[in-house]
Every structure is written in C-alpha cells, then in structure tokens.
C-alpha cells in the first residue's frame, strides 16, 4: 500500500504498532507545557509564546498545573533547592511527559559549573528529552527544538519517562546524593553558637576571657 | 552637609568612633560593635530612617568580619555607612531588629552565608541553602569550585561519564 501522507508514513515505522503511532501523532500535536522558569531562559519564552514567533501554531500552549501538562521546560540553571521542586513537579505529571532543558546550564552547568548551589548535569536527576545549547537560545532555536521534539515523539524516541520509570533507582540515587546528603562535602562546619547564647552571656564570657 | 552628624557622633562616643567622608553623599562611621545599636537608633531620629541593607565582608587576612549598615535619609538625601569589625573566630553581633524590624531577614541571611550569630534575632534558620553541612559558603576559606566538583560533577557523583548505555537504551526501549 502506498501512503504519501506523513502520518501514514510514520505508521510504517517498524518499531511502532498502529495504535502507538496514531497516539504519538496526536500527542505531538497537542502539547501543554509547564515552564519552570528557574533561570535566565524565562525571558525567551514570552516572544516564543506571543505573536512574534507564536508557538501555538505548533499546537503548544501554557498549562497551569503539572498534572495537566505534557512538557516540562527547565529554562536555565537549577539550584539544589529548586531541583527538589522540579522533581516533585515532574513526578506529578501524567505520562507521557517530556522534558526540555534550555541553555547550557542544564547540560553541564554553563557559567555556573563551579557554583556551590547550582547542579551541573540535569540529565543525572531526571531524563531530558531535548537539550538546547546556547546561553540563552533564541526563540528560533527553541521553536526548532520543539519541532525536533515533535519528530522524536512521532518516531517513538522521546521516551524519557519510560527511562525514568525503568531506571528509577539510578535517578533516585543521584537525587539523594545531592538532596538528602548526610555529611559535609568538604569541611564539616561546627557552629560555635549552636547553643544559642544570649548577648548578655556572650558579653560576660568575653569579659571573663579578657581578664584571664 | 554632614557636619552636625560629625560633631554629634564625636560628642556621643568620643574616641570610639571615626568618621570619614567617602563621597559627597556618603559618610562612613567606624565604631566598636557595642556602640552600633546606639548609633543607629540615634541616626534614625536624625532622619536616617531607611535601613537599606546590611552587608558582611570577610577580611580573612585580618581574621575579621566587617558588618556594614547602610542607612539613608530622605530629607538629607545621603547615605551613612556604619561599619564595625567582628572577631572571625567568634563572630557575633547584637541584633538590631528592635530598631528596624525588617533587619530580621538580613541578619538571618548573614548568619546563613557567613556564620555570624545575632543574639536577639528570633529566627536564624536557613533561608536559601538546602541541607547545608559545610562551611558557610560566602566565607573566603570556602572553595565553591571544589565543592561543586565534589558534589555535582559526574565524577563526584560516581559516574565516569554520563552512561553511554543509557543513551544507547533510548533507542532500544521505545516501545513495549
Ligand atoms: S545557559 Fe546562560 S542564559 Fe541560560 S540559565 Fe545558564 S547562564 Fe542563564
């Protein structure tokens, strides 16, 4: 049978059966995104979303809650504190779900590679389906990445969520390493004021010290 | 512009205080930490009602921390910086939340980032850092690069490179 239209062509992909191919076709055409604007990348989204570049022509739109979203945008650097919230949001999302990392920061830390609160490789904590290099990528690059992601969804390659499910222990181990660390990384800090003395006590102690 | 402040400050605290004009609109007052509270509450009555922020500087070679209180007057339209030095080994400073209530989070942050203790401040819990067990990170003897490499790099996390097997698997796993 000859099919010249793209969706039927894709159905011929050996890796997918007819139903997943069909489902993927519709999935890629209606993506609701949750943008987790942690970094500089947030500023590139308004032009991408509004009339200048208009991502709605790709069938994408903003969504208010993680439970209703398909696409999680990590727009820039992630501090440890936000990483925890991002993981919560990601785990709340319904499958199938996709993650796009914006800029170099989620790839390898970017200019924050040596900063103490910012993680370096997002890929180690959650599956990333698409990364956009650049600091910060322009809206054209973002649209381009979305189109690529749609292709990958159609071909059944954007399966980060399955990877997350299958290798949950690997991701969990990395998450725990950073989020639930039990000991100091370099030098443990002993707070000399852990007992919370009052000012009067401190002054009395100091005048004692100076008399000795 | 600052003459009356100069004179009055000298008469209040005598030789405990040094004033220097850093800029036409910036006066620096250095004093001992026990006089800061006094000085600030007096400045507040002298129209310096706005505490813009408190900063902390780590003078590691002198083994001291310096606290700088920036106050501003809307009437005079100028700044005063009140500076004081603390011993770096036992850094503590009277809390000024009785003079300016909004100093509370400033002090909380300095406590978190430098380890300076403010007796009298009701809440010195962590503000920004997650699960922090190392030296306070803004101290000069804390090395952020070593920290980042030890914790966030792939090697630090115990991986040689981001597992190539994983990337392989993306192509294999797609359909159940
Ligand atoms: S990649 Fe550049 S623009 Fe993007 S979050 Fe990092 S520093 Fe900011």
């Amino acid at each position: 049978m000859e099919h010249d239209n793209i969706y039927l062509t894709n159905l011929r992909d050996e890796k997918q059966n007819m139903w997943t191919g069909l489902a993927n076709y519709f999935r890629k055409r209606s993506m609701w995104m949750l943008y987790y604007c942690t970094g500089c990348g947030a500023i590139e989204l308004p032009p991408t979303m509004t009339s200048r570049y208009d991502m709605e022509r790709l069938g994408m739109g903003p969504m208010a809650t993680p439970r209703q979203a398909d696409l999680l945008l990590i727009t820039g650097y992630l501090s440890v504190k936000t990483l925890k919230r991002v993981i919560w949001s990601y785990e709340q999302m319904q499958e199938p779900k996709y993650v796009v990392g914006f800029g170099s920061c989620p790839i390898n830390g970017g200019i924050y590679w040596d900063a103490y609160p910012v993680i370096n490789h997002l890929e180690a904590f959650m599956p990333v389906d698409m990364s956009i290099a650049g600091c910060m990528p322009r809206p054209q690059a973002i649209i381009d990445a979305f189109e690529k992601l749609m292709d990958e969804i159609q071909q059944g390659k954007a399966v980060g969520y399955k990877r997350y499910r299958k290798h949950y222990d690997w991701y969990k181990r990395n998450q725990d390493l950073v989020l639930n660390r039990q000991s100091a990384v370099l030098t443990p800090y002993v707070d000399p004021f852990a007992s919370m003395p009052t000012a009067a006590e401190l002054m009395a102690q100091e005048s004692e010290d100076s008399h000795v | 512009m600052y003459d009356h402040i100069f004179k009055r400050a000298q008469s209040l605290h005598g030789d405990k205080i040094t004033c220097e004009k850093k800029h036409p609109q910036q006066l620096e007052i250095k004093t001992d930490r026990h006089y800061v509270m006094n000085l600030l509450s007096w400045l507040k009555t002298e129209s310096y009602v706005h505490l813009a922020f408190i900063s902390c500087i780590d003078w590691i070679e002198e083994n001291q921390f310096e606290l700088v209180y920036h106050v501003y007057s809307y009437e005079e339209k100028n700044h005063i910086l009140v500076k004081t030095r603390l011993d770096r080994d036992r850094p503590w400073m009277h809390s000024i939340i009785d003079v300016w209530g909004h100093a509370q989070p400033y002090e909380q942050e300095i406590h978190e980032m430098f380890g300076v203790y403010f007796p009298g401040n009701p809440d010195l819990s962590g503000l920004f850092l997650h699960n922090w067990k190392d030296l306070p990170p803004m101290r000069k003897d804390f090395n952020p690069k070593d920290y980042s490499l030890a914790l966030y790099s792939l090697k630090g996390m115990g991986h040689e490179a981001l597992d190539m097997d994983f990337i392989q698997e993306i192509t294999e796993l797609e359909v159940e």
Side-chain angles (χ1 to χ4, degrees):
Chain A
M1 251 204 307
E2 286 282 313
H3 301 288
D4 47 9
N5 112 14
I6 176 153
Y7 116 71
L8 289 178
T9 315
N10 275 318
L11 284 187
R12 278 197 257 117
D13 191 334
E14 300 157 343
K15 290 176 189 154
Q16 307 193 51
N17 65 32
M18 196 173 94
W19 293 114
T20 49
L22 196 62
N24 280 341
Y25 175 77
F26 289 115
R27 271 170 196 159
K28 77 166 191 184
R29 284 286 160 190
S30 92
M31 277 199 282
W32 295 99
M33 57 173 195
L34 179 75
Y35 33 97
Y36 203 96
C37 294
T38 56
C40 328
I43 207 69
E44 300 294 341
L45 277 176
T48 318
M49 280 157 66
T50 51
S51 52
R52 179 76 199 269
Y53 292 100
D54 191 14
M55 62 162 61
E56 213 162 307
R57 69 203 152 90
L58 303 180
M60 304 174 84
M63 181 42 76
T65 71
R67 285 174 204 277
Q68 290 158 298
D70 308 299
L71 183 61
L72 178 61
L73 307 184
I74 309 289
T75 59
Y77 55 84
L78 269 187
S79 70
V80 176
K81 209 164 180 172
T82 43
L83 175 70
K84 187 168 167 190
R85 275 79 186 168
V86 164
I87 291 169
W88 281 349
S89 311
Y90 181 72
E91 292 186 348
Q92 280 181 38
M93 287 167 66
Q94 311 267 343
E95 289 181 1
K97 49 191 175 183
Y98 312 101
V99 180
V100 177
F102 278 44
S104 13
C105 286
I107 300 176
N108 60 6
I111 56 172
Y112 299 102
W113 69 278
D114 60 351
Y116 61 86
V118 178
I119 58 146
N120 287 2
H121 302 276
L122 180 62
E123 185 68 34
F125 304 98
M126 54 166 52
V128 182
D129 292 299
M130 183 69 60
S131 289
I132 314 173
C135 177
M136 192 55 190
R138 304 268 310 132
Q140 292 96 321
I142 297 173
I143 293 277
D144 195 39
F146 286 158
E147 278 176 351
K148 276 220 178 73
L149 179 68
M150 287 162 74
D151 277 353
E152 300 228 326
I153 294 174
Q154 175 69 78
Q155 292 161 19
K157 283 187 188 162
V159 286
Y161 61 98
K162 289 183 188 165
R163 215 172 350 138
Y164 191 69
R165 218 183 320 137
K166 188 167 169 199
H167 298 282
Y168 184 68
D169 49 346
W170 189 82
Y171 288 109
K172 185 74 186 149
R173 174 193 163 276
N174 291 340
Q175 291 165 7
D176 277 348
L177 203 66
V178 170
L179 295 175
N180 300 332
R181 194 164 18 88
Q182 296 303 323
S183 58
V185 177
L186 302 174
T187 341
Y189 175 60
V190 185
D191 188 355
F193 303 102
S195 59
M196 308 284 266
T198 61
E201 285 164 13
L202 285 164
M203 278 160 80
Q205 197 180 359
E206 247 159 55
S207 64
E208 239 173 60
D209 290 352
S210 61
H211 286 308
V212 173
Chain B
M1 187 186 261
Y2 285 114
D3 286 349
H4 68 290
I5 299 284
F6 258 70
K7 285 207 193 92
R8 193 70 205 286
Q10 297 281 1
S11 73
L12 276 175
H13 297 301
D15 54 348
K16 299 285 189 200
I17 204 168
T18 56
C19 300
E20 193 187 330
K21 210 163 166 178
K22 286 287 195 188
H23 181 269
Q25 304 214 304
Q26 213 172 48
L27 178 74
E28 177 200 79
I29 303 180
K30 286 187 172 167
T31 185
D32 187 89
R33 68 171 156 194
H34 298 308
Y35 297 96
V36 166
M37 178 81 138
N38 234 329
L39 197 65
L40 285 174
S41 43
W42 166 64
L43 282 174
K44 196 177 176 186
T45 65
E46 289 283 333
S47 89
Y48 289 87
V49 291
H50 178 79
L51 173 74
F53 57 100
I54 309 172
S55 51
C56 183
I57 302 144
D58 186 356
W59 296 99
I60 190 165
E61 277 152 28
E62 289 144 50
N63 201 28
Q64 280 176 332
F65 284 123
E66 183 170 48
L67 287 180
V68 187
Y69 296 80
H70 299 246
V71 289
Y72 183 75
S73 162
Y74 292 103
E75 281 155 39
E76 312 272 339
K77 304 227 178 323
N78 55 28
H79 295 267
I80 294 184
L81 317 179
V82 178
K83 297 188 174 179
T84 186
R85 295 278 182 129
L86 314 173
D87 179 10
R88 207 169 171 284
D89 298 324
R90 266 187 89 71
W92 68 274
M93 173 69 200
H94 305 278
S95 170
I96 61 155
I97 55 168
D98 294 335
V99 187
W100 278 286
H102 72 268
Q104 192 276 325
Y106 299 168
E107 294 178 350
Q108 193 179 354
E109 184 184 356
I110 292 174
H111 176 258
E112 181 171 38
M113 294 296 176
F114 291 91
V116 178
Y117 174 62
F118 292 89
N121 191 318
D123 182 10
L124 290 175
S125 56
L127 204 51
F128 299 113
L129 302 171
H130 177 88
N131 193 16
W132 192 263
K133 301 205 160 42
D134 283 64
L135 275 181
M138 298 290 230
R139 289 196 182 191
K140 289 248 167 78
D141 48 0
F142 174 76
N143 188 334
K145 185 176 155 192
D146 284 356
Y147 183 88
S148 178
L149 291 182
L151 186 59
Y152 307 129
S153 72
L154 292 171
K155 220 165 154 204
M157 287 194 291
H159 309 295
E160 271 319 308
L162 210 52
D163 282 293
M164 262 314 169
D165 303 347
F166 257 64
I167 301 188
Q168 205 73 45
E169 234 165 306
I170 303 177
T171 41
E172 282 157 20
L173 176 126
E174 61 298 330
V175 180
E176 283 122 41

